[in-house]
Amino acid sequence: MSTIQVKRMTSASAPNREAPPGGRSRPWSGLTRFTEETAGDVAIIFGLMAMAMFMFIGAAVDIGRWLNARDQTIAAVDAAVLAGGRTLQSATNPATAQADAIAMAKRYYDQTVANRLSLKSDTIQFVVGDNGTSVTITGNGEIRTPFMALAGISELQLLQSSGFEHSKAMLAVGGNAEMNLEISMMLDVSGSMGEGTKLQEMKDAAKDLVNIVVWADQGSYTSKVAIVPFSGDVRPPAGLWSLVTDPTWPDSRPNPNGDRKANAWPKTSCVAERSGTDSHMDTLATLGTYVMRTYTSSGNCSTPLSGSVMPMSNDKTALTNKINGLTLGGGTAGHIGTAWAYYMISPKWASILPLASKPVAYTAPKNKKIAILMTDGEYNYTYGNTGIATNSGGGNANSNSSAGQALAICNQMKTDNIEVYTVGFDLQANQTALNMLKNCASDSSKAYSADDGDQLKAAFRDIALKISTLYLMK
């Protein structure tokens, strides 16, 4: 007899669900098995994570390249504008100073970015602005971003498009310079300045300098300018001449021409040079050291009323009006003008000057004293000890001549650490006058010769830039 073996299916091998009646599978059973299948989940998740990681790594590479190019670009434009600013400040030819500054900035920039990553575009250029007192940039640079391009960002700008990061080298004669300025500007209003448009050209140049060196915010640091016109004499500020001249001098002098004219020569409201040891010093004019009054046949000064000395001021409007109002006078007593340019920034004269015009000590910290001496001819007028003109010719620099006295005064100013700038206007081949001005200046770089109005304005502007402080701003 055969035995039939029956194998019982264990729970481990038995299906979890019973077969439907008739032994056939349900139609959705395959789909159910698919949704419950987990064998490929890890691969899918890894693929998605790998793609995200690839994007992050790619973006990091792009950002790293951008930061590297950006840092190099910012360093390059900073160095370039400073180099351009220094060129503006130290230019030997004012007429080409701006073009030279731009060329220097471009040269520095190109050298500094020579090893920078390749850019998609670089439109950075350099310009001179702020009335010729700054060098700044325009344009921008862009670097390609091959990985970020997959997300639609194909390039990044290196500098903020608002211009906030556009470097600027500024020649500061304002608060940013952290320096007070006391400037005395001697201006020639002698008769020869009436040739052509010379007087107006001088006014334009002087106003341009005032506009640069007198800044708006006078809170922390101040800049003051004195205007000292001169011709055959100097007209002191209203009310001051009575303090600095001898009140015992007579109202008139005998006619120096003898009997040819019977009338005496009246005393004027103008002054001549000083005599003795005070002739080239800044000693305060007072009892025993008075300044000579002048006497003329008409009783009129050589320097017109419009040409009275204006003590130091930081009122730009008042300074501009003073310059605009200048009119022509007579001879060229440059030594007297030089002396009064000295007095207006000398602390020894502070006691008799208005409060706002008082010069500080020569040793005062963060203070610079500057004399700017402008003329269009040889100094040719001197006076005797009675205040009457005795010499109207020759510019030779002997000790008694106008030129010789002016040079002695300049040397004393330099001893007191006053920076002396000289400007010869339309002197052409007058080597005697040019040599005197060169010797009067603090050094040869501070002696200018201008043949026309454009060169005169360039010279005054160059002086304004040289007395400035260079700083970097954004």
Side-chain angles (χ1 to χ4, degrees), residues 124-281:
I124 290 174
Q125 298 292 326
F126 300 90
V127 295
V128 173
D130 296 290
N131 199 26
T133 63
S134 70
V135 178
T136 188
I137 71 167
T138 62
N140 211 325
E142 292 182 339
I143 190 168
R144 292 182 178 85
T145 53
F147 295 103
M148 296 175 68
L150 299 175
I153 304 173
S154 59
E155 69 275 327
L156 290 175
Q157 287 190 336
L158 299 179
L159 305 175
Q160 291 186 16
S161 57
S162 65
F164 175 75
E165 292 181 322
H166 284 189
S167 300
K168 176 187 288 189
M170 191 77 185
L171 288 159
V173 287
N176 288 315
E178 297 185 353
M179 180 72 70
N180 298 306
L181 293 180
E182 294 182 350
I183 302 171
S184 192
M185 183 161 53
M186 182 189 84
L187 300 175
D188 191 340
V189 294
S190 61
S192 58
M193 285 293 294
E195 299 171 1
T197 58
K198 287 170 64 175
L199 181 64
Q200 185 58 51
E201 290 166 344
M202 182 196 70
K203 292 179 181 182
D204 292 341
K207 288 185 294 183
D208 192 42
L209 182 140
V210 167
N211 188 52
I212 294 173
V213 301
V214 179
W215 54 84
D217 182 4
Q218 296 278 321
S220 299
Y221 298 94
T222 61
S223 57
K224 300 177 182 179
V225 179
I227 307 297
V228 183
F230 81 96
S231 59
D233 49 27
V234 164
R235 185 185 287 269
L240 191 62
W241 59 266
S242 62
L243 300 177
V244 300
T245 58
D246 192 339
T248 67
W249 274 30
D251 290 335
S252 64
R253 295 285 191 187
N255 181 355
N257 297 318
D259 294 335
R260 287 181 296 172
K261 292 184 179 179
N263 62 301
W265 284 24
K267 183 166 54 178
T268 75
S269 297
C270 289
V271 296
E273 64 262 34
R274 303 167 81 173
S275 60
T277 57
D278 297 316
S279 62
H280 62 279
M281 306 294 289

Side-chain angles (χ1 to χ4, degrees), residues 100-116:
D100 292 344
I102 292 172
M104 177 62 74
K106 184 69 167 63
R107 185 155 59 249
Y108 258 73
Y109 177 73
D110 290 342
Q111 291 173 352
T112 309
V113 300
N115 296 320
R116 182 184 59 187

Side-chain angles (χ1 to χ4, degrees), residues 328-369:
L328 295 172
T332 310
H335 63 305
I336 308 175
T338 302
W340 279 82
Y342 190 9
Y343 302 156
M344 290 300 98
I345 53 178
S346 167
K348 297 177 183 178
W349 283 63
S351 62
I352 64 172
L353 291 172
L355 180 62
S357 305
K358 294 182 182 298
V360 300
Y362 288 123
T363 56
K366 294 189 175 183
N367 191 77
K368 184 183 292 186
K369 292 178 184 283

